[in-house]
Amino acid sequence: MEAQLYPCPMDKSSTQRQARPLRERKKEATRRALTRAANRRFHQFGFESTTIEDICADAGVSRRTFFRYFANKEALAFPHRAERLERFVAMLQNAPRTESPFASLRRVAQVLAFAYADNRAALIAQQKLIDQTPSLIAREHEIDRDWEQAMAEVFEQRFAGDPNAELRAQMLAGAAIGLIRATMRYWFDQDGRPDLGELGKQALDALQKGFLAGAG
């Protein structure tokens, strides 16, 4: 598997890629070349020391071409941001409307946990880069807000008919994204050794039941 930041579990198979139009395959190849070049530069020289010109030179493309694929350098550190969020939302929306949001989150968490476990080394390397770079920390928080808002919109549909549906959905989404961030932080701090699927299940169980339930 190619080394890249934030690997995407939605990457198409080689057979699927070959069946697509030549122009589309060329665009994908250019995007991958930029991502690979950025990945190497970021880890070898650091994010701040790497310029867009450096990345373009390594990838063999012009600066103008770069901006057809990425809005800025920060976007290269999260090249599959949109695809990951789209997949996450689709999994939540495709769940039965009568299903508990917690049941949906548990199921989605297991799917994502497998993908993260398969890409453990690259994800840990990416997180170390993020933690060392203020602009990437800010971008990561922005991504968290996108996921929180997406969850809130889906959950509000589940609570249809409840006069407090919007508030309940926003509170649950806020709690869930905080839980996800804390669980991922623990997993990264433990060098990705714990079973991420089990961590997610334990965390969601605790949130649903109440972390202090039964405590004296």
Side-chain angles (χ1 to χ4, degrees):
M1 175 180 177
E2 68 175 25
Q4 66 177 41
L5 294 175
Y6 223 100
C8 180
M10 293 187 68
D11 283 347
K12 305 292 189 301
S13 69
S14 58
T15 301
Q16 288 174 309
R17 286 196 294 271
Q18 291 171 5
R20 292 155 64 189
L22 177 61
R23 183 178 179 183
E24 189 174 344
R25 297 204 304 272
K26 286 183 175 180
K27 289 176 65 175
E28 181 178 323
T30 299
R31 183 180 178 87
R32 287 176 177 273
L34 285 166
T35 301
R36 286 195 296 267
N39 183 52
R40 289 192 296 267
R41 283 273 177 179
F42 292 162
H43 288 292
Q44 185 174 358
F45 302 107
F47 181 83
E48 300 293 357
S49 297
T50 297
T51 67
I52 290 176
E53 287 74 16
D54 292 332
I55 297 169
C56 290
D58 289 353
V61 303
S62 68
R63 182 181 174 89
R64 182 178 180 180
T65 297
F66 174 92
F67 285 108
R68 291 175 185 166
Y69 294 87
F70 297 97
N72 48 47
K73 188 173 66 170
E74 284 77 9
L76 272 164
F78 306 94
H80 301 296
R81 171 182 176 177
E83 293 95 324
R84 283 179 173 274
L85 179 57
E86 181 181 348
R87 181 176 189 236
F88 174 70
V89 171
M91 286 190 289
L92 287 181
Q93 289 180 330
N94 290 335
R97 291 181 65 87
T98 56
E99 183 177 70
S100 159
F102 285 99
S104 298
L105 285 172
R106 285 190 189 89
R107 184 159 38 77
V108 173
Q110 293 305 308
V111 173
L112 297 181
F114 280 120
Y116 275 61
D118 286 344
N119 295 297
R120 171 182 166 275
L123 287 165
I124 290 174
Q126 185 213 28
Q127 193 61 43
K128 289 179 179 178
L129 179 69
I130 292 171
D131 291 341
Q132 297 167 0
T133 313
S135 61
L136 294 185
I137 292 174
R139 181 58 62 93
E140 186 179 47
H141 290 165
E142 181 182 311
I143 292 172
D144 284 351
R145 288 195 297 272
D146 289 344
W147 283 55
E148 180 179 347
Q149 181 60 36
M151 277 191 283
E153 291 174 1
V154 174
F155 294 158
E156 187 173 354
Q157 296 173 5
R158 300 279 186 91
F159 299 147
D162 185 329
N164 296 313
E166 182 179 2
L167 175 60
R168 288 184 62 197
Q170 290 182 359
M171 292 175 67
L172 178 55
I177 199 64
L179 193 78
I180 291 169
R181 175 53 55 199
T183 301
M184 291 304 302
R185 175 59 59 188
Y186 178 82
W187 189 71
F188 284 127
D189 288 346
Q190 299 299 314
D191 201 32
R193 289 187 297 271
D195 183 329
L196 186 56
E198 181 60 26
L199 287 179
K201 180 180 181 302
Q202 290 177 8
L204 286 166
D205 287 349
L207 179 61
Q208 184 174 18
K209 296 175 183 176
F211 279 94
L212 301 180

